[in-house]
Amino acid sequence: MKHLKMNKTVEVYKEPADIAKQQEQHYHLLSQLQSLVKDLSSSCQQRLSYDTLSNLALALIDGTVFEIVQGLLEIQHLTEKNLYNQRLKLHTLKQELLKKHKEALQSCKTHNMAVLRAAQQRELEALEQRVKDEQRMMDEKIVLELDQKVIDQQNTLEKAGVPGFYITTNPQELTLQMNLLELILKMQQKVCESGSC
């Protein structure tokens, strides 16, 4: 006796009205994207094919991509603020030392003034060198951390199915991805202005 194998596929049935509404949203988003692309450089316009824009419009329909991009932006802004504050702390060290020096000079006896000034100058030079070294190391750390954020963003958007996003360090591709992000943000603003947000 032969056993027949049956492949069972579950098909999600959508009402014709749902399909029509989704198609209408897709064409509307695609039309707006095509309009926004005209503001980009001609080299970027050439790289954003009809298919890419059509796939982007499909990805934007349910609003999930907007939420993802907003979340990524918030993380980026918090990271940048944190890194800026760390960098700022280095510069406050010098201000604090100068204030301490001024107070010491005001209470110093005249005959000790030359010795105090020489000691303060050495202390200031040592601090300036320390700040310079720490700032260089911090700047390197900042660049690495921001590069990692870009990779995280690319990875997240690629996994979300946003066309044009994948992990790359190619400057042309990065520019294209930044333009795509700008398009997404402008589309989100348009969607919100229409009251659908």
Side-chain angles (χ1 to χ4, degrees):
M1 194 187 326
K2 262 187 177 175
H3 291 291
L4 294 175
K5 276 188 172 176
M6 294 183 72
N7 289 333
K8 289 188 176 184
T9 57
V10 177
E11 201 172 305
V12 177
Y13 179 75
K14 288 189 175 183
E15 293 289 326
D18 292 340
I19 293 170
K21 183 179 178 189
Q22 188 174 4
Q23 281 182 330
E24 184 182 323
Q25 286 177 303
H26 175 247
Y27 291 132
H28 177 70
L29 289 171
L30 178 57
S31 171
Q32 288 186 324
L33 282 169
Q34 288 172 321
S35 174
L36 290 171
V37 165
K38 293 175 185 173
D39 296 336
L40 300 176
S41 69
S42 60
S43 63
C44 189
Q45 287 180 35
Q46 292 169 357
R47 299 203 50 222
L48 290 171
S49 67
Y50 175 86
D51 286 344
T52 301
L53 292 176
S54 179
N55 289 334
L56 181 57
L58 282 172
L60 296 177
I61 287 177
D62 72 356
T64 304
V65 170
F66 295 140
E67 292 173 18
I68 291 169
V69 168
Q70 278 307 121
L72 292 173
L73 276 176
E74 288 171 17
I75 291 168
Q76 181 178 334
H77 290 150
L78 286 172
T79 301
E80 289 171 352
K81 185 177 178 180
N82 182 34
L83 293 171
Y84 175 78
N85 287 336
Q86 287 176 25
R87 203 169 189 275
L88 203 57
K89 283 180 186 175
L90 283 178
H91 294 285
T92 59
L93 291 174
K94 183 176 178 181
Q95 298 307 316
E96 290 168 2
L97 182 65
L98 290 173
K99 183 180 175 186
K100 184 179 118 184
H101 284 181
K102 185 178 178 182
E103 290 169 358
L105 283 171
Q106 288 173 344
S107 63
C108 182
K109 305 276 186 206
T110 308
H111 62 279
N112 292 333
M113 193 68 73
V115 174
L116 178 63
R117 281 200 170 127
Q120 286 180 340
Q121 185 61 34
R122 285 190 302 275
E123 189 179 17
L124 183 61
E125 287 170 4
L127 177 72
E128 285 175 342
Q129 186 60 48
R130 180 181 143 214
V131 166
K132 182 179 174 185
D133 293 344
E134 285 185 28
Q135 186 168 327
R136 183 183 41 75
M137 289 187 301
M138 185 176 288
D139 288 348
E140 289 171 6
K141 177 187 166 214
I142 287 171
V143 167
L144 290 174
E145 199 165 328
L146 291 175
D147 285 348
Q148 185 58 50
K149 283 288 172 233
V150 169
I151 290 168
D152 293 346
Q153 290 172 349
Q154 291 170 330
N155 190 34
T156 300
L157 292 167
E158 180 182 23
K159 285 180 179 175
V162 181
F165 283 91
Y166 58 94
I167 295 173
T168 181
T169 55
N170 178 314
Q172 289 177 319
E173 295 302 312
L174 288 170
T175 300
L176 182 66
Q177 289 179 352
M178 288 190 308
N179 283 316
L180 283 168
L181 273 176
E182 190 64 33
L183 287 174
I184 291 168
L185 291 170
K186 286 180 179 178
M187 286 301 298
Q188 182 180 22
Q189 187 177 1
K190 285 182 174 284
V191 168
C192 285
E193 285 171 359
S194 70
S196 304
C197 146

